Amino acid sequence: MKSLPEILAEFEQALELERELGTRTVECDRALLAPLRRAEAVAVQANQGAEASARVVPDVPPEPANEPANLGLPTVDELTACSKCPLASLGRQHVVPGQGNAASPDIMFIGEAPGADEDRQGLAFVGAAGQFLTKMILAMGYTREQVFIANICKCRPPNNRTPSPQEMTACLPYLRRQIAAIRPKCIVLLGRTAMSGLFPSQRIRRGTWYTYEGYPVIATFHPSYIIRFDPVMDATSLRTAKLEVWNTLKMVLARLGRRPPGR
Ligand code: URA
């Protein structure tokens, strides 16, 4: 069972997360504030422990290279001409290479595959999930333009189905080229498909550092997991999931030597 300081520290983090995500007012009993302040010291200590353990990086061997990764960023024309998997002929409107800062940004976010909005605009994460990703990025103190946002697959799977392992394998060389050309300081994988797409032969866990071809990688929930379940998920599970996302984003900031803005 959790101790009172742990519960208060979590509560404080939940409030912090809501503030970062745009909530401006909450009703709060004044009597809560004193223990919250005491809990802050506990939270800082717990955080320092988490950051120390985050430095223990399980190093996953790189996936076998099936194409040189040093060919530069794949172009829209090149991706449009690609026919390495069935997605090219299954009704996509646009390829979605990804966008943002391609000159060694602090963070490269990698999702699953374009959805309907992304397919229409040729841009990654511009629909509802993208709005939550934007909140995450702003909460970390960045703009979308300062990070790079990409996907495992560059074409929309019909009816937003999960890309098959073959489709992800076919698209992986493009992502490897993006990573090699962009040289992000950290990679954040969004959701289970991104995790298995980048590490097809290794089960990785959320909230733990790995390396991929020399780049630090960490995974968290996909934004659509949070927004899809928002209306129906019970409040505790939703808060736990959001907190986990926020704690992972704070691990990323700590690794980059940064703090969330306003702290
Ligand atoms: N979901 C993803 O994984 N990627 C997008 O670009 C949009 C939604």
Side-chain angles (χ1 to χ4, degrees):
M1 196 164 126
K2 285 183 181 158
S3 66
L4 181 63
E6 282 171 333
I7 293 168
L8 289 171
E10 279 190 10
F11 179 53
E12 193 220 4
Q13 285 179 320
L15 285 177
E16 172 78 7
L17 172 63
E18 288 304 326
R19 187 180 67 77
E20 300 293 352
L21 294 180
T23 304
R24 287 292 166 261
T25 53
V26 286
E27 289 187 9
C28 180
D29 187 333
R30 285 180 75 83
L32 268 177
L33 295 178
L36 274 178
R37 268 191 217 105
R38 280 199 301 277
E40 190 173 354
V42 176
V44 167
Q45 269 176 11
N47 233 352
Q48 281 164 352
E51 282 163 22
S53 66
R55 282 192 282 276
V56 182
V57 177
D59 199 345
V60 177
E63 297 297 331
N66 49 5
E67 188 174 308
N70 60 354
L71 298 175
L73 281 179
T75 63
V76 169
D77 286 349
E78 187 183 354
L79 293 172
T80 305
C82 173
S83 58
K84 287 185 194 160
C85 86
L87 293 182
S89 54
L90 289 179
R92 64 137 204 246
Q93 290 183 42
H94 292 102
V95 294
V96 180
Q99 73 278 351
N101 176 1
S104 196
D106 281 1
I107 311 166
M108 177 175 186
F109 289 94
I110 301 177
E112 179 175 316
D117 295 303
E118 291 76 18
D119 182 51
R120 209 173 302 117
Q121 299 182 43
L123 294 168
F125 279 99
V126 288
Q131 284 175 22
F132 191 79
L133 178 61
T134 304
K135 280 186 171 187
M136 289 163 54
I137 293 169
L138 295 176
M140 295 176 83
Y142 294 91
T143 63
R144 282 177 67 108
E145 294 70 32
Q146 288 174 318
V147 300
F148 198 90
I149 304 171
N151 282 305
I152 295 286
C153 283
K154 313 301 183 202
C155 298
R156 182 190 182 201
N159 303 317
N160 293 350
R161 67 157 167 77
T162 306
S164 70
Q166 292 74 16
E167 288 158 354
M168 293 196 283
T169 303
C171 223
L172 188 58
Y174 296 122
L175 184 62
R176 292 181 59 235
R177 281 173 51 188
Q178 288 182 307
I179 294 170
I182 292 168
R183 304 179 59 77
K185 296 194 183 74
C186 289
I187 295 173
V188 177
L189 298 176
L190 301 168
R192 202 175 298 173
T193 307
M195 290 158 76
S196 66
L198 200 64
F199 294 101
S201 51
Q202 184 98 18
R203 235 177 198 285
I204 65 162
R205 294 190 305 266
R206 295 187 310 272
T208 301
W209 284 108
Y210 297 89
T211 61
Y212 183 82
E213 301 189 341
Y215 294 91
V217 180
I218 199 163
T220 192
F221 287 116
H222 192 286
S224 60
Y225 176 80
I226 305 281
I227 58 166
R228 186 159 3 116
F229 289 101
D230 217 327
V232 289
M233 202 195 275
D234 73 87
T236 310
S237 313
L238 179 62
R239 188 175 65 85
T240 306
K242 278 187 178 178
L243 255 183
E244 187 188 309
V245 171
W246 184 232
N247 282 334
T248 301
L249 298 181
K250 285 201 289 190
M251 285 172 72
V252 173
L253 288 175
R255 186 163 191 130
L256 293 164
R258 292 173 61 124
R259 282 170 170 271
R263 299 217 86 206

